Amino acid sequence: MPLVPFISAYVARLRALVKRGQALPSGAQLHLQAVLEGVAAAARYPEDGANEAEDGSTGPGLGNNSSSTSSNSRARLSDAEVLAAREEQWEVEERRKELLVLLKNAAKLAFPEALNFVASKLQAALSGGVSGANGLTGFDGSSSVSKGPTAASVGLRFQDTEVAVTLLYELGEGAPEDALKAGSGGLVQLVLLLVTQGQGLPAGQHRLVALAVLETCVRYCRVLQQEQSAIPAVLSLFLGPKGLGHPSTDVATRACYLLSRLVKTLRANLRPYIDEMLRQLQPYLQIVATQPPPAGGTAVGTGREAGSKALAPVTALVDDRLYVFEAVGLLLGQEELPAQQQLAALNSLLQPLMQQIKTNLQPAAVEQQGGGG
């Protein structure tokens, strides 16, 4: 991308003019629009690349014996294919660093234009999907069944959806301070569009799209403090098949960490949903407590919250799945919760785990008794 340094210098010059109180030169708005278009095109994952096949649908989920694996009949990919997908992801993340800095700098010069551009990309992605909730129940007192993909969404590639969500994520850093305040419109409405229709995103089950959506929900979770009617949709994303229940170990493990961050911010707002959250978290807690991390699994975090997008491989000493227990502790550790509710919730969570431990220990006890006799 030999033009990126030149374009970056041009945008930096425009920012210097604005800081000195001067107006943008004639034609600058058109140039900035072209910059946005160029960034979106260059930031896409390659067509027919390694991540076309490694979409995460054949992974083991949170554990080696997890029941959250995909119901499709696709064969597991070879280690070489999985490695090729990770290498391609690393290359794209590296290439995007300069591009996304350019996006944020352009947004600081022309935020309304950048917002409209990102909105057009996201709306174009959503136009091929299905809006609405998934098949989970209980958060808002309703029950719904997820719809299948429309004819328009079947042929859509994941690259367009992933880059649209990534642009929305990055736009937050180039936004004015008041862009996320209540009643400010624009960016808030765009975030709510993603949150409430995230279940219907075309290619939304793809590993990279699911990761991008979860990361974006956490970046803008303060919007949910203002728009609490959107909280059930976010919880459905995190606790359903595109979050903790995703067959990709990358997504499911990252969702554990991101859920903990979400709960830290929204603890008070989540009180009405605690019972239903704990009910849906129970099977995941059992998997994490009783199964080792999947062999060869990596929790590929984008590292976005640290200002970069470097991959974050899991080491033998780190199991990010344990963050799901931290999330439960944050939910139940609120002083405002009645002690009886806390005790009842802990009992309902711990009893199945304790029973599973006893069941697993029985063969060893029988063997020991037999050896002693």
Side-chain angles (χ1 to χ4, degrees):
M1 297 182 294
L3 286 177
V4 172
F6 169 76
I7 298 173
S8 297
Y10 173 69
V11 172
R13 180 176 177 274
L14 294 180
R15 291 190 66 195
L17 291 175
V18 171
K19 286 181 179 179
R20 291 197 294 266
Q22 300 180 30
L24 291 176
S26 175
Q29 294 289 350
L30 291 177
H31 296 160
L32 291 172
Q33 182 68 29
V35 168
L36 296 172
E37 292 281 359
V39 166
R44 290 178 83 255
Y45 274 83
E47 301 284 348
D48 301 322
N51 280 286
E52 287 279 7
E54 213 299 87
D55 60 2
S57 62
T58 60
L62 281 177
N64 281 319
N65 302 316
S66 174
S67 61
S68 62
T69 54
S70 174
S71 60
N72 66 37
S73 58
R74 290 180 54 189
R76 283 280 185 91
L77 298 178
S78 67
D79 290 343
E81 289 173 311
V82 173
L83 179 60
R86 298 304 186 274
E87 289 177 346
E88 179 184 86
Q89 184 179 356
W90 183 85
E91 291 170 359
V92 171
E93 300 286 0
E94 285 296 304
R95 185 177 75 239
R96 281 178 167 181
K97 286 181 180 179
E98 283 187 284
L99 291 169
L100 296 175
V101 169
L102 191 55
L103 167 76
K104 288 176 277 195
N105 287 335
K108 290 174 182 177
L109 286 168
F111 182 72
E113 289 77 6
L115 180 63
N116 289 335
F117 174 78
V118 173
S120 69
K121 290 293 182 184
L122 185 61
Q123 288 168 346
L126 284 166
S127 65
V130 183
S131 63
N134 69 354
L136 298 178
T137 61
F139 288 121
D140 55 3
S142 64
S143 176
S144 61
V145 178
S146 60
K147 301 176 183 178
T150 63
S153 68
V154 171
L156 276 171
R157 292 183 178 272
F158 82 89
Q159 290 92 338
D160 296 307
T161 304
E162 191 277 339
V163 80
V165 178
T166 295
L167 292 176
L168 175 58
Y169 177 94
E170 298 292 342
L171 188 62
E173 288 191 25
E177 292 184 4
D178 60 350
L180 292 176
K181 290 183 178 179
S184 60
L187 186 55
V188 170
Q189 296 305 313
L190 201 54
V191 171
L192 292 175
L193 178 67
L194 174 67
V195 166
T196 56
Q197 300 192 30
Q199 293 290 350
L201 274 174
Q205 192 68 18
H206 191 285
R207 175 176 64 88
L208 296 172
V209 176
L211 280 170
V213 171
L214 295 177
E215 297 273 5
T216 303
C217 287
V218 172
R219 157 152 284 189
Y220 293 109
C221 64
R222 295 192 183 278
V223 171
L224 302 176
Q225 293 176 319
Q226 308 164 19
E227 304 286 347
Q228 297 183 30
S229 61
I231 289 178
V234 174
L235 295 178
S236 294
L237 282 170
F238 272 86
L239 303 181
K242 295 182 181 178
L244 291 169
H246 200 285
S248 167
T249 300
D250 295 348
V251 178
T253 303
R254 186 67 176 170
C256 292
Y257 167 70
L258 292 174
L259 178 65
S260 177
R261 288 188 55 198
L262 187 80
V263 171
K264 282 181 182 178
T265 302
L266 299 177
R267 290 175 72 185
N269 308 101
L270 294 176
R271 282 182 207 138
Y273 311 103
I274 285 180
D275 291 340
E276 181 62 20
M277 287 181 69
L278 295 178
R279 184 188 69 79
Q280 295 194 29
L281 281 169
Q282 179 67 57
Y284 303 125
L285 294 172
Q286 286 189 256
I287 291 172
V288 174
T290 60
Q291 297 182 26
T298 57
V300 181
T302 57
R304 287 171 172 166
E305 72 279 0
S308 68
K309 297 176 122 184
L311 303 185
V314 167
T315 69
L317 299 177
V318 177
D319 184 359
D320 280 354
R321 302 179 308 160
L322 297 177
Y323 279 106
V324 72
F325 284 97
E326 179 179 273
V328 170
L330 290 169
L331 284 171
L332 294 180
Q334 302 180 63
E335 294 181 358
E336 294 80 2
L337 286 180
Q340 289 185 340
Q341 183 180 359
Q342 291 175 320
L343 288 173
L346 281 174
N347 283 331
S348 65
L349 286 173
L350 293 177
Q351 283 180 358
L353 295 176
M354 294 298 295
Q355 183 59 46
Q356 198 160 4
I357 291 173
K358 291 179 181 178
T359 302
N360 292 336
L361 289 175
Q362 282 178 354
V366 171
E367 182 178 347
Q368 186 177 13
Q369 290 176 358

PDB file of all heavy atoms in Angstrom, residues 236-270:
ATOM      1  N   SER A 236     -28.558 -11.780  24.440  1.00  0.00           N
ATOM      2  CA  SER A 236     -28.800 -12.905  23.549  1.00  0.00           C
ATOM      3  C   SER A 236     -27.601 -13.174  22.651  1.00  0.00           C
ATOM      4  O   SER A 236     -27.284 -14.332  22.352  1.00  0.00           O
ATOM      5  CB  SER A 236     -30.049 -12.637  22.691  1.00  0.00           C
ATOM      6  OG  SER A 236     -31.212 -12.601  23.483  1.00  0.00           O
ATOM      7  N   LEU A 237     -26.932 -12.115  22.225  1.00  0.00           N
ATOM      8  CA  LEU A 237     -25.725 -12.287  21.415  1.00  0.00           C
ATOM      9  C   LEU A 237     -24.630 -12.987  22.212  1.00  0.00           C
ATOM     10  O   LEU A 237     -23.982 -13.917  21.727  1.00  0.00           O
ATOM     11  CB  LEU A 237     -25.228 -10.931  20.920  1.00  0.00           C
ATOM     12  CG  LEU A 237     -25.954 -10.301  19.734  1.00  0.00           C
ATOM     13  CD1 LEU A 237     -25.503  -8.862  19.535  1.00  0.00           C
ATOM     14  CD2 LEU A 237     -25.696 -11.102  18.461  1.00  0.00           C
ATOM     15  N   PHE A 238     -24.420 -12.546  23.443  1.00  0.00           N
ATOM     16  CA  PHE A 238     -23.322 -13.083  24.245  1.00  0.00           C
ATOM     17  C   PHE A 238     -23.599 -14.506  24.730  1.00  0.00           C
ATOM     18  O   PHE A 238     -22.678 -15.327  24.786  1.00  0.00           O
ATOM     19  CB  PHE A 238     -23.048 -12.171  25.440  1.00  0.00           C
ATOM     20  CG  PHE A 238     -22.076 -11.075  25.131  1.00  0.00           C
ATOM     21  CD1 PHE A 238     -22.504  -9.882  24.578  1.00  0.00           C
ATOM     22  CD2 PHE A 238     -20.724 -11.235  25.379  1.00  0.00           C
ATOM     23  CE1 PHE A 238     -21.612  -8.874  24.269  1.00  0.00           C
ATOM     24  CE2 PHE A 238     -19.822 -10.231  25.083  1.00  0.00           C
ATOM     25  CZ  PHE A 238     -20.261  -9.045  24.525  1.00  0.00           C
ATOM     26  N   LEU A 239     -24.828 -14.808  25.093  1.00  0.00           N
ATOM     27  CA  LEU A 239     -25.148 -16.094  25.698  1.00  0.00           C
ATOM     28  C   LEU A 239     -25.664 -17.117  24.699  1.00  0.00           C
ATOM     29  O   LEU A 239     -25.958 -18.252  25.078  1.00  0.00           O
ATOM     30  CB  LEU A 239     -26.178 -15.905  26.816  1.00  0.00           C
ATOM     31  CG  LEU A 239     -25.764 -14.934  27.928  1.00  0.00           C
ATOM     32  CD1 LEU A 239     -26.840 -14.848  28.991  1.00  0.00           C
ATOM     33  CD2 LEU A 239     -24.434 -15.333  28.544  1.00  0.00           C
ATOM     34  N   GLY A 240     -25.741 -16.736  23.444  1.00  0.00           N
ATOM     35  CA  GLY A 240     -26.269 -17.628  22.426  1.00  0.00           C
ATOM     36  C   GLY A 240     -25.194 -18.219  21.534  1.00  0.00           C
ATOM     37  O   GLY A 240     -24.000 -18.205  21.852  1.00  0.00           O
ATOM     38  N   PRO A 241     -25.586 -18.738  20.384  1.00  0.00           N
ATOM     39  CA  PRO A 241     -24.656 -19.444  19.491  1.00  0.00           C
ATOM     40  C   PRO A 241     -23.658 -18.549  18.775  1.00  0.00           C
ATOM     41  O   PRO A 241     -22.784 -19.056  18.070  1.00  0.00           O
ATOM     42  CB  PRO A 241     -25.598 -20.124  18.488  1.00  0.00           C
ATOM     43  CG  PRO A 241     -26.846 -19.303  18.510  1.00  0.00           C
ATOM     44  CD  PRO A 241     -26.987 -18.812  19.918  1.00  0.00           C
ATOM     45  N   LYS A 242     -23.768 -17.235  18.948  1.00  0.00           N
ATOM     46  CA  LYS A 242     -22.772 -16.337  18.356  1.00  0.00           C
ATOM     47  C   LYS A 242     -21.847 -15.750  19.414  1.00  0.00           C
ATOM     48  O   LYS A 242     -21.076 -14.832  19.126  1.00  0.00           O
ATOM     49  CB  LYS A 242     -23.473 -15.224  17.574  1.00  0.00           C
ATOM     50  CG  LYS A 242     -24.232 -15.752  16.366  1.00  0.00           C
ATOM     51  CD  LYS A 242     -24.896 -14.645  15.571  1.00  0.00           C
ATOM     52  CE  LYS A 242     -25.658 -15.244  14.381  1.00  0.00           C
ATOM     53  NZ  LYS A 242     -26.361 -14.213  13.586  1.00  0.00           N
ATOM     54  N   GLY A 243     -21.950 -16.283  20.636  1.00  0.00           N
ATOM     55  CA  GLY A 243     -21.096 -15.830  21.722  1.00  0.00           C
ATOM     56  C   GLY A 243     -20.487 -17.013  22.434  1.00  0.00           C
ATOM     57  O   GLY A 243     -19.672 -17.742  21.884  1.00  0.00           O
ATOM     58  N   LEU A 244     -20.890 -17.227  23.687  1.00  0.00           N
ATOM     59  CA  LEU A 244     -20.352 -18.339  24.467  1.00  0.00           C
ATOM     60  C   LEU A 244     -20.653 -19.695  23.832  1.00  0.00           C
ATOM     61  O   LEU A 244     -19.905 -20.656  24.034  1.00  0.00           O
ATOM     62  CB  LEU A 244     -20.933 -18.306  25.883  1.00  0.00           C
ATOM     63  CG  LEU A 244     -20.485 -17.143  26.778  1.00  0.00           C
ATOM     64  CD1 LEU A 244     -21.335 -17.083  28.025  1.00  0.00           C
ATOM     65  CD2 LEU A 244     -19.025 -17.272  27.139  1.00  0.00           C
ATOM     66  N   GLY A 245     -21.727 -19.788  23.087  1.00  0.00           N
ATOM     67  CA  GLY A 245     -22.094 -21.053  22.453  1.00  0.00           C
ATOM     68  C   GLY A 245     -21.551 -21.232  21.057  1.00  0.00           C
ATOM     69  O   GLY A 245     -21.916 -22.193  20.372  1.00  0.00           O
ATOM     70  N   HIS A 246     -20.677 -20.348  20.621  1.00  0.00           N
ATOM     71  CA  HIS A 246     -20.126 -20.459  19.268  1.00  0.00           C
ATOM     72  C   HIS A 246     -19.218 -21.684  19.178  1.00  0.00           C
ATOM     73  O   HIS A 246     -18.463 -21.981  20.102  1.00  0.00           O
ATOM     74  CB  HIS A 246     -19.339 -19.194  18.913  1.00  0.00           C
ATOM     75  CG  HIS A 246     -19.139 -19.007  17.443  1.00  0.00           C
ATOM     76  ND1 HIS A 246     -18.217 -19.754  16.727  1.00  0.00           N
ATOM     77  CD2 HIS A 246     -19.722 -18.168  16.551  1.00  0.00           C
ATOM     78  CE1 HIS A 246     -18.254 -19.367  15.460  1.00  0.00           C
ATOM     79  NE2 HIS A 246     -19.162 -18.420  15.318  1.00  0.00           N
ATOM     80  N   PRO A 247     -19.262 -22.415  18.062  1.00  0.00           N
ATOM     81  CA  PRO A 247     -18.382 -23.585  17.928  1.00  0.00           C
ATOM     82  C   PRO A 247     -16.904 -23.238  17.832  1.00  0.00           C
ATOM     83  O   PRO A 247     -16.056 -24.097  18.093  1.00  0.00           O
ATOM     84  CB  PRO A 247     -18.874 -24.254  16.636  1.00  0.00           C
ATOM     85  CG  PRO A 247     -19.602 -23.186  15.891  1.00  0.00           C
ATOM     86  CD  PRO A 247     -20.212 -22.296  16.931  1.00  0.00           C
ATOM     87  N   SER A 248     -16.576 -22.006  17.465  1.00  0.00           N
ATOM     88  CA  SER A 248     -15.169 -21.599  17.404  1.00  0.00           C
ATOM     89  C   SER A 248     -14.637 -21.343  18.807  1.00  0.00           C
ATOM     90  O   SER A 248     -15.214 -20.572  19.570  1.00  0.00           O
ATOM     91  CB  SER A 248     -15.010 -20.335  16.562  1.00  0.00           C
ATOM     92  OG  SER A 248     -13.720 -19.770  16.731  1.00  0.00           O
ATOM     93  N   THR A 249     -13.520 -21.982  19.136  1.00  0.00           N
ATOM     94  CA  THR A 249     -12.891 -21.733  20.432  1.00  0.00           C
ATOM     95  C   THR A 249     -12.486 -20.269  20.562  1.00  0.00           C
ATOM     96  O   THR A 249     -12.565 -19.686  21.644  1.00  0.00           O
ATOM     97  CB  THR A 249     -11.649 -22.636  20.596  1.00  0.00           C
ATOM     98  OG1 THR A 249     -12.063 -23.992  20.510  1.00  0.00           O
ATOM     99  CG2 THR A 249     -10.966 -22.398  21.933  1.00  0.00           C
ATOM    100  N   ASP A 250     -12.020 -19.670  19.470  1.00  0.00           N
ATOM    101  CA  ASP A 250     -11.632 -18.260  19.492  1.00  0.00           C
ATOM    102  C   ASP A 250     -12.781 -17.386  19.978  1.00  0.00           C
ATOM    103  O   ASP A 250     -12.617 -16.534  20.850  1.00  0.00           O
ATOM    104  CB  ASP A 250     -11.225 -17.788  18.086  1.00  0.00           C
ATOM    105  CG  ASP A 250      -9.988 -18.483  17.566  1.00  0.00           C
ATOM    106  OD1 ASP A 250      -9.306 -19.154  18.361  1.00  0.00           O
ATOM    107  OD2 ASP A 250      -9.706 -18.357  16.361  1.00  0.00           O
ATOM    108  N   VAL A 251     -13.963 -17.588  19.396  1.00  0.00           N
ATOM    109  CA  VAL A 251     -15.118 -16.751  19.717  1.00  0.00           C
ATOM    110  C   VAL A 251     -15.627 -17.051  21.119  1.00  0.00           C
ATOM    111  O   VAL A 251     -15.866 -16.142  21.926  1.00  0.00           O
ATOM    112  CB  VAL A 251     -16.240 -16.952  18.683  1.00  0.00           C
ATOM    113  CG1 VAL A 251     -17.465 -16.112  19.052  1.00  0.00           C
ATOM    114  CG2 VAL A 251     -15.759 -16.586  17.288  1.00  0.00           C
ATOM    115  N   ALA A 252     -15.809 -18.339  21.430  1.00  0.00           N
ATOM    116  CA  ALA A 252     -16.381 -18.711  22.722  1.00  0.00           C
ATOM    117  C   ALA A 252     -15.496 -18.251  23.877  1.00  0.00           C
ATOM    118  O   ALA A 252     -15.986 -17.740  24.896  1.00  0.00           O
ATOM    119  CB  ALA A 252     -16.587 -20.224  22.779  1.00  0.00           C
ATOM    120  N   THR A 253     -14.177 -18.407  23.725  1.00  0.00           N
ATOM    121  CA  THR A 253     -13.257 -17.993  24.786  1.00  0.00           C
ATOM    122  C   THR A 253     -13.209 -16.482  24.915  1.00  0.00           C
ATOM    123  O   THR A 253     -13.218 -15.939  26.023  1.00  0.00           O
ATOM    124  CB  THR A 253     -11.845 -18.543  24.500  1.00  0.00           C
ATOM    125  OG1 THR A 253     -11.911 -19.959  24.378  1.00  0.00           O
ATOM    126  CG2 THR A 253     -10.879 -18.178  25.613  1.00  0.00           C
ATOM    127  N   ARG A 254     -13.146 -15.793  23.788  1.00  0.00           N
ATOM    128  CA  ARG A 254     -13.140 -14.331  23.825  1.00  0.00           C
ATOM    129  C   ARG A 254     -14.441 -13.799  24.421  1.00  0.00           C
ATOM    130  O   ARG A 254     -14.447 -12.790  25.137  1.00  0.00           O
ATOM    131  CB  ARG A 254     -12.930 -13.784  22.414  1.00  0.00           C
ATOM    132  CG  ARG A 254     -12.758 -12.267  22.325  1.00  0.00           C
ATOM    133  CD  ARG A 254     -11.476 -11.823  22.967  1.00  0.00           C
ATOM    134  NE  ARG A 254     -11.261 -10.387  22.794  1.00  0.00           N
ATOM    135  CZ  ARG A 254     -10.313  -9.708  23.413  1.00  0.00           C
ATOM    136  NH1 ARG A 254      -9.483 -10.323  24.244  1.00  0.00           N
ATOM    137  NH2 ARG A 254     -10.162  -8.411  23.217  1.00  0.00           N
ATOM    138  N   ALA A 255     -15.543 -14.470  24.141  1.00  0.00           N
ATOM    139  CA  ALA A 255     -16.834 -14.046  24.678  1.00  0.00           C
ATOM    140  C   ALA A 255     -16.847 -14.101  26.199  1.00  0.00           C
ATOM    141  O   ALA A 255     -17.500 -13.274  26.844  1.00  0.00           O
ATOM    142  CB  ALA A 255     -17.956 -14.909  24.108  1.00  0.00           C
ATOM    143  N   CYS A 256     -16.125 -15.061  26.794  1.00  0.00           N
ATOM    144  CA  CYS A 256     -16.044 -15.135  28.255  1.00  0.00           C
ATOM    145  C   CYS A 256     -15.422 -13.859  28.815  1.00  0.00           C
ATOM    146  O   CYS A 256     -15.921 -13.267  29.781  1.00  0.00           O
ATOM    147  CB  CYS A 256     -15.216 -16.352  28.675  1.00  0.00           C
ATOM    148  SG  CYS A 256     -15.983 -17.943  28.313  1.00  0.00           S
ATOM    149  N   TYR A 257     -14.320 -13.447  28.202  1.00  0.00           N
ATOM    150  CA  TYR A 257     -13.640 -12.233  28.667  1.00  0.00           C
ATOM    151  C   TYR A 257     -14.496 -10.992  28.429  1.00  0.00           C
ATOM    152  O   TYR A 257     -14.637 -10.130  29.306  1.00  0.00           O
ATOM    153  CB  TYR A 257     -12.301 -12.095  27.949  1.00  0.00           C
ATOM    154  CG  TYR A 257     -11.660 -10.746  28.117  1.00  0.00           C
ATOM    155  CD1 TYR A 257     -11.133 -10.349  29.347  1.00  0.00           C
ATOM    156  CD2 TYR A 257     -11.585  -9.845  27.052  1.00  0.00           C
ATOM    157  CE1 TYR A 257     -10.563  -9.103  29.510  1.00  0.00           C
ATOM    158  CE2 TYR A 257     -11.014  -8.598  27.207  1.00  0.00           C
ATOM    159  CZ  TYR A 257     -10.498  -8.230  28.436  1.00  0.00           C
ATOM    160  OH  TYR A 257      -9.940  -6.989  28.589  1.00  0.00           O
ATOM    161  N   LEU A 258     -15.075 -10.897  27.236  1.00  0.00           N
ATOM    162  CA  LEU A 258     -15.859  -9.710  26.905  1.00  0.00           C
ATOM    163  C   LEU A 258     -17.136  -9.631  27.740  1.00  0.00           C
ATOM    164  O   LEU A 258     -17.590  -8.534  28.082  1.00  0.00           O
ATOM    165  CB  LEU A 258     -16.189  -9.710  25.411  1.00  0.00           C
ATOM    166  CG  LEU A 258     -14.994  -9.521  24.476  1.00  0.00           C
ATOM    167  CD1 LEU A 258     -15.420  -9.680  23.020  1.00  0.00           C
ATOM    168  CD2 LEU A 258     -14.341  -8.155  24.678  1.00  0.00           C
ATOM    169  N   LEU A 259     -17.709 -10.770  28.076  1.00  0.00           N
ATOM    170  CA  LEU A 259     -18.886 -10.760  28.950  1.00  0.00           C
ATOM    171  C   LEU A 259     -18.538 -10.178  30.309  1.00  0.00           C
ATOM    172  O   LEU A 259     -19.310  -9.397  30.887  1.00  0.00           O
ATOM    173  CB  LEU A 259     -19.436 -12.172  29.116  1.00  0.00           C
ATOM    174  CG  LEU A 259     -20.637 -12.303  30.056  1.00  0.00           C
ATOM    175  CD1 LEU A 259     -21.847 -11.556  29.507  1.00  0.00           C
ATOM    176  CD2 LEU A 259     -20.984 -13.773  30.296  1.00  0.00           C
ATOM    177  N   SER A 260     -17.363 -10.531  30.826  1.00  0.00           N
ATOM    178  CA  SER A 260     -16.926  -9.978  32.108  1.00  0.00           C
ATOM    179  C   SER A 260     -16.807  -8.459  32.030  1.00  0.00           C
ATOM    180  O   SER A 260     -17.229  -7.743  32.939  1.00  0.00           O
ATOM    181  CB  SER A 260     -15.589 -10.597  32.505  1.00  0.00           C
ATOM    182  OG  SER A 260     -15.104 -10.035  33.710  1.00  0.00           O
ATOM    183  N   ARG A 261     -16.257  -7.943  30.945  1.00  0.00           N
ATOM    184  CA  ARG A 261     -16.143  -6.491  30.773  1.00  0.00           C
ATOM    185  C   ARG A 261     -17.519  -5.827  30.662  1.00  0.00           C
ATOM    186  O   ARG A 261     -17.750  -4.742  31.202  1.00  0.00           O
ATOM    187  CB  ARG A 261     -15.312  -6.179  29.529  1.00  0.00           C
ATOM    188  CG  ARG A 261     -13.828  -6.473  29.672  1.00  0.00           C
ATOM    189  CD  ARG A 261     -13.053  -5.956  28.501  1.00  0.00           C
ATOM    190  NE  ARG A 261     -13.287  -4.534  28.294  1.00  0.00           N
ATOM    191  CZ  ARG A 261     -13.008  -3.897  27.157  1.00  0.00           C
ATOM    192  NH1 ARG A 261     -12.526  -4.543  26.135  1.00  0.00           N
ATOM    193  NH2 ARG A 261     -13.239  -2.601  27.055  1.00  0.00           N
ATOM    194  N   LEU A 262     -18.417  -6.499  29.937  1.00  0.00           N
ATOM    195  CA  LEU A 262     -19.764  -5.958  29.780  1.00  0.00           C
ATOM    196  C   LEU A 262     -20.467  -5.861  31.132  1.00  0.00           C
ATOM    197  O   LEU A 262     -21.094  -4.847  31.453  1.00  0.00           O
ATOM    198  CB  LEU A 262     -20.556  -6.852  28.828  1.00  0.00           C
ATOM    199  CG  LEU A 262     -21.936  -6.336  28.421  1.00  0.00           C
ATOM    200  CD1 LEU A 262     -21.816  -5.296  27.321  1.00  0.00           C
ATOM    201  CD2 LEU A 262     -22.818  -7.490  27.945  1.00  0.00           C
ATOM    202  N   VAL A 263     -20.353  -6.923  31.933  1.00  0.00           N
ATOM    203  CA  VAL A 263     -21.008  -6.952  33.240  1.00  0.00           C
ATOM    204  C   VAL A 263     -20.426  -5.888  34.162  1.00  0.00           C
ATOM    205  O   VAL A 263     -21.159  -5.265  34.942  1.00  0.00           O
ATOM    206  CB  VAL A 263     -20.887  -8.362  33.860  1.00  0.00           C
ATOM    207  CG1 VAL A 263     -21.371  -8.356  35.302  1.00  0.00           C
ATOM    208  CG2 VAL A 263     -21.689  -9.365  33.050  1.00  0.00           C
ATOM    209  N   LYS A 264     -19.120  -5.652  34.092  1.00  0.00           N
ATOM    210  CA  LYS A 264     -18.508  -4.621  34.935  1.00  0.00           C
ATOM    211  C   LYS A 264     -19.146  -3.263  34.693  1.00  0.00           C
ATOM    212  O   LYS A 264     -19.354  -2.472  35.626  1.00  0.00           O
ATOM    213  CB  LYS A 264     -17.006  -4.542  34.654  1.00  0.00           C
ATOM    214  CG  LYS A 264     -16.184  -5.629  35.298  1.00  0.00           C
ATOM    215  CD  LYS A 264     -14.706  -5.462  34.980  1.00  0.00           C
ATOM    216  CE  LYS A 264     -13.891  -6.594  35.594  1.00  0.00           C
ATOM    217  NZ  LYS A 264     -12.450  -6.483  35.261  1.00  0.00           N
ATOM    218  N   THR A 265     -19.456  -2.979  33.438  1.00  0.00           N
ATOM    219  CA  THR A 265     -20.030  -1.681  33.098  1.00  0.00           C
ATOM    220  C   THR A 265     -21.520  -1.618  33.390  1.00  0.00           C
ATOM    221  O   THR A 265     -22.034  -0.582  33.817  1.00  0.00           O
ATOM    222  CB  THR A 265     -19.790  -1.375  31.604  1.00  0.00           C
ATOM    223  OG1 THR A 265     -18.385  -1.411  31.337  1.00  0.00           O
ATOM    224  CG2 THR A 265     -20.322   0.000  31.234  1.00  0.00           C
ATOM    225  N   LEU A 266     -22.219  -2.724  33.198  1.00  0.00           N
ATOM    226  CA  LEU A 266     -23.685  -2.701  33.244  1.00  0.00           C
ATOM    227  C   LEU A 266     -24.271  -3.418  34.456  1.00  0.00           C
ATOM    228  O   LEU A 266     -25.441  -3.812  34.432  1.00  0.00           O
ATOM    229  CB  LEU A 266     -24.248  -3.357  31.976  1.00  0.00           C
ATOM    230  CG  LEU A 266     -23.879  -2.711  30.647  1.00  0.00           C
ATOM    231  CD1 LEU A 266     -24.454  -3.520  29.496  1.00  0.00           C
ATOM    232  CD2 LEU A 266     -24.382  -1.267  30.571  1.00  0.00           C
ATOM    233  N   ARG A 267     -23.494  -3.584  35.517  1.00  0.00           N
ATOM    234  CA  ARG A 267     -23.950  -4.395  36.654  1.00  0.00           C
ATOM    235  C   ARG A 267     -25.344  -3.996  37.134  1.00  0.00           C
ATOM    236  O   ARG A 267     -26.243  -4.838  37.256  1.00  0.00           O
ATOM    237  CB  ARG A 267     -22.957  -4.283  37.808  1.00  0.00           C
ATOM    238  CG  ARG A 267     -21.635  -4.948  37.564  1.00  0.00           C
ATOM    239  CD  ARG A 267     -20.673  -4.698  38.699  1.00  0.00           C
ATOM    240  NE  ARG A 267     -21.040  -5.438  39.898  1.00  0.00           N
ATOM    241  CZ  ARG A 267     -20.406  -5.321  41.060  1.00  0.00           C
ATOM    242  NH1 ARG A 267     -19.390  -4.475  41.170  1.00  0.00           N
ATOM    243  NH2 ARG A 267     -20.776  -6.031  42.108  1.00  0.00           N
ATOM    244  N   ALA A 268     -25.531  -2.731  37.426  1.00  0.00           N
ATOM    245  CA  ALA A 268     -26.824  -2.285  37.954  1.00  0.00           C
ATOM    246  C   ALA A 268     -27.935  -2.474  36.931  1.00  0.00           C
ATOM    247  O   ALA A 268     -29.064  -2.846  37.282  1.00  0.00           O
ATOM    248  CB  ALA A 268     -26.731  -0.820  38.378  1.00  0.00           C
ATOM    249  N   ASN A 269     -27.616  -2.252  35.660  1.00  0.00           N
ATOM    250  CA  ASN A 269     -28.627  -2.371  34.613  1.00  0.00           C
ATOM    251  C   ASN A 269     -29.027  -3.819  34.353  1.00  0.00           C
ATOM    252  O   ASN A 269     -30.087  -4.073  33.762  1.00  0.00           O
ATOM    253  CB  ASN A 269     -28.112  -1.741  33.322  1.00  0.00           C
ATOM    254  CG  ASN A 269     -27.604  -0.322  33.517  1.00  0.00           C
ATOM    255  OD1 ASN A 269     -26.398  -0.105  33.591  1.00  0.00           O
ATOM    256  ND2 ASN A 269     -28.504   0.643  33.641  1.00  0.00           N
ATOM    257  N   LEU A 270     -28.183  -4.758  34.762  1.00  0.00           N
ATOM    258  CA  LEU A 270     -28.439  -6.171  34.482  1.00  0.00           C
ATOM    259  C   LEU A 270     -29.242  -6.866  35.578  1.00  0.00           C
ATOM    260  O   LEU A 270     -29.582  -8.042  35.436  1.00  0.00           O
ATOM    261  CB  LEU A 270     -27.108  -6.914  34.278  1.00  0.00           C
ATOM    262  CG  LEU A 270     -26.302  -6.508  33.048  1.00  0.00           C
ATOM    263  CD1 LEU A 270     -24.971  -7.253  33.021  1.00  0.00           C
ATOM    264  CD2 LEU A 270     -27.081  -6.772  31.764  1.00  0.00           C
TER     265      LEU A 270
END
